[in-house]
Structure formats: structure tokens, C-alpha cells
Amino acid sequence: MAKIIVVTSGKGGVGKTTTSAAFSMGLAMRGYKTVVIDFDIGLRNLDIVMDCERRVVYDFVNVIQGDANLRQALIKDKRCENLFILAASQTKEKEALTLEGVGAVLNELSQDFDFIICDSPAGIEQGAFTAMYYADEAIIVTNPEVSSVRDSDRMLGILQSKSQRAQEGLDSVKENLLITRYDPDRVAKGEMMSIEDVEDILGVKNIGVIPESESVLKASNQGHPVIMDKNSDAGMAYDDMIARFLGETRPLRFIERKGLLKRIFS
Amino acid sequence: MKKLFNFFKNEQEKNPANVAKERLKVIVAHERRQRNQPDYLQDLQRDLMLVIQKYVEIEADNVQVQLDSEGNYSVLELNVTLPN
Ligand SMILES: Nc1ncnc2c1ncn2[C@@H]1O[C@H](COP(=O)(O)OP(=O)(O)O)[C@@H](O)[C@H]1O
Ligand SMILES: [Mg+2]
């Protein structure tokens, strides 16, 4: 039985797709059979970040509607044999993601995979709702910024009341806070909220902090999840996050302000 | 010395990160209270506010309505803060 993890936030542009790509690639590189699903119907992006946009023949909605089976729709990653991608549909109506349909697909995937990563769209509509509904765990992607934190809190409320686990009175969805686009210099200057500030308000501990980094743009330009850039700060921070997710203890890195000399010479 | 201390303290309190944190605390607390409350409460709150505004000048956040269930009955709690 696979573990289902939703990568969600409420707000758009905070790093969900970047995280879904890095997280799923990182798990697969460690040997876990992993599938990552794009729930952003109409605005698919994951295929670009994963460099498989030209290989999409059938998508998630095709499978739900019975036009294709999973074997036809799953795209095998060219770099890691344990990783598969299920692309979002570019044209179909958002209502195509029915709870029953999504449930059936996740159930079938559960037989073969260790992890199912659901890349949620922004908002709290159908796509985001179905992405979180079946989750066992959630990665709440949050930028240290007012509107992002507020939306994350909203999303936490939805997970706690509307998810299948909540509705059926099971153990609640495990919440993991991932702070992304963190800029230690701006935190030091008092311009940006700190890790503790965000944890305090949300009442959730972080599972990782991803620094604001040029390597993310570079990675997405090339279609490589940033975790493949093993020398980049963001790539290493994602690797730490995955290690913690799997139960390891690792200290936070890249959260200190750059040293004075580094600041002068960078 | 105290003056210097206060100077730093005020600077710290007013920096953008602290302003963000304080605003968020209020927003989040408010929204958490509204969760799991029936949808009509917001309409009720607005109608109550409009009635009270006929007599006293108050703002939206001066009227708080909350429904608490205790056993087999519910209590509707109405909190109105009036200006002096
Ligand atoms: N740690 C980071 N550092 C710099 N840029 C980032 C970082 N994380 C995400 N971004 C950028 O932010 C934008 C939105 O990211 P994306 O993952 O698509 O967000 P979402 O899926 O939440 O809408 C992209 O341009 C991405 O390259
Ligand atoms: Mg996205």
C-alpha cells in the first residue's frame, strides 16, 4: 500500500510544483517506487519541470474518464527508473476530477507504488480539494509572508475537517510544514518573518527550510528537479527534507545569514 | 540607558517582519474561530451589526458572534464592544 502525500498551500507560486518535483525525484533516487500526479487541470506545469512535456499522450483526466488506462498514461522518468509522472489535462473541465474517479486511480496506483505525491493546484476548489482528500500526509508549502501563511492556515483547517481521514474519524493527516523561498538576509534585517514566527502562528513544526535560490530557476529551465543539482543550496535543503521525512534527524542548513566576507565578495 | 533600550525595542516592534507576525496572529485567530461554524453566522453577524449601527457607531470587528455546543444544546454568544 502506497503512502499518499499531498503538496499543498492554498496560495499559488509558493513552490508546490518545485517541491513535488524535488520530493518525488529524491524519494525515487533513494529506491522508492514513486509516482507524482499533477492536479492542476488546465494549468499543468509539472511535466515541464520534469522535462517530459513532449511525452504526454494520455493524462490524469483521460484515465479517470476511462479513455486510457494507467499503463498508457504513466510517463516513466528517463533519469530514474523508480519515478513515474501522471500529467494534468490541459484542456478538460476542472469538474472532471471527481472524488470517486480520483479515488479509483489512487487506489490502483497504491497497489504498485511506495509513494504517491499529489501536486495540488492553488486555491481551495475541486483540484485542491481532490488532491488533499485522500492524503495520509501533507507537505504545507509556505513562504514567510503574510498571505502565504494565512492561506496555509486555511489549508490546515481544510485538512483537519474535510479530508477523508477527518470525515471517517481516522488518525488525522500528518502535517509537515515546508518553508520555501527563505531569505536569511531579509530575516536578519527584520524584513521577513523567521522560521519560528511561521511555526508559532501555524502551530506546526517545519520539516525543512528551502532557501531562496537561483538554482531553482536554473533547474526548472532545464527540466531537472533541483534536487539533481547536488551542489546547490536548494537541492541540498530538499535532500535534508526528504531524509527527515523518512525519519532521519538532520540539522537545518542555509538558514544563516551569509558571512560578512561572503556578503562583500558575492 | 532606558531610552536607548526603548529605542531599540520600538525599532524591533515596528519592523516589517513583526508587523506581519502581529497581523497574522489576529487574522488567523479570527479565521480559526469561524471554522466549523454554520454559514449563517456570518450573515447574522452582519445583520446584527447593521441594527446596532442604527444607534451606535461601531465597526465590523466590534461585533463577534459565536456558537458553542455544550452537550445537547448550543449557546449563541454575542459580543459587542462599544466605543466610550
Ligand atoms: N526556493 C526557491 N528559490 C527561488 N525561486 C523559487 C523557489 N521555489 C520556487 N521558486 C520559483 O517560484 C515560482 C513558483 O514556483 P512553483 O513551484 O511553480 O509554485 P506553485 O506550484 O506553488 O505555484 C517558479 O518560478 C519557481 O521557479
Ligand atoms: Mg504548481
Side-chain angles (χ1 to χ4, degrees), chain B residues 9 36 51 63 65:
Chain B
K9 197 168 161 229
N36 312 321
V51 171
V63 181
V65 181

Side-chain angles (χ1 to χ4, degrees), chain A residues 7-21 40 45-46 49 119-122 141 143 179-182 209-221 226 233-234 238:
Chain A
V7 178
T8 188
S9 69
K11 190 168 156 61
V14 294
K16 291 179 294 297
T17 299
T18 305
T19 298
S20 298
D40 208 342
N45 262 319
L46 186 69
V49 178
D119 180 15
S120 174
V141 180
N143 295 164
I179 299 177
T180 60
R181 312 203 67 164
Y182 188 78
V209 177
I210 314 297
E212 173 76 22
S213 169
E214 285 170 20
S215 60
V216 173
L217 180 62
K218 218 171 89 196
S220 73
N221 284 342
V226 70
D233 49 0
Y238 273 116

Side-chain angles (χ1 to χ4, degrees), chain A residues 41-44 59 88-94:
Chain A
I41 304 301
L43 287 172
R44 79 173 180 223
D59 58 51
S89 164
Q90 207 47 313
T91 50
K92 304 254 175 33
E93 300 290 304
K94 289 195 173 63

Side-chain angles (χ1 to χ4, degrees), chain A residues 37-41 60 88 97 102 106 117-121 127-128 130-131:
Chain A
I37 309 177
D38 190 347
F39 277 74
D40 208 342
I41 304 301
F60 193 17
L97 290 186
V102 171
L106 294 183
I117 313 300
C118 303
D119 180 15
S120 174
T130 50

Side-chain angles (χ1 to χ4, degrees), chain B residues 64-76:
Chain B
Q64 296 293 339
V65 181
Q66 196 169 331
L67 195 64
D68 293 312
S69 342
E70 297 171 20
N72 52 3
Y73 60 91
S74 298
V75 177
L76 182 70

